[in-house]
Amino acid sequence: MDIDLIFKIAAIGIIVAVLNQLLVRSGREEQAMLTTLAGLIVVLSMIVTQISELFAAVKSVFGF
């Protein structure tokens, strides 16, 4: 895992936060919630791939 993943997650978080505030202030709370949910799903999909690589590495270290 390198530092690029952390920067990508931070950038997605900042973009989603700005979009959320813009949508809430314009009275579109439902779209703000969906935007936040979409950002969460994108970040979780990025993290799941990293976790699967971690488990593969641990499995290879212990010889399972």
Side-chain angles (χ1 to χ4, degrees), residues 3 5 10 12 19-20 28-29 32-34 36-38 40-41:
I3 197 77
L5 179 66
I12 291 170
L19 285 174
N20 189 10
R28 299 179 177 177
E29 288 82 14
M33 183 190 64
L34 288 176
T36 304
L37 186 61
L40 180 67
I41 290 170

Side-chain angles (χ1 to χ4, degrees), residues 2 4 10-11 14-16 23 27 31 37 39 41 43 45 51 56 59 62:
D2 50 16
D4 290 337
I14 291 169
I15 291 170
V16 167
L23 288 169
Q31 291 172 341
L37 186 61
I41 290 170
V43 169
S45 67
I51 290 174
K59 187 177 178 180
F62 291 110

Side-chain angles (χ1 to χ4, degrees), residues 1-10:
M1 184 170 112
D2 50 16
I3 197 77
D4 290 337
L5 179 66
I6 296 171
F7 286 140
K8 287 178 186 177
I9 292 172

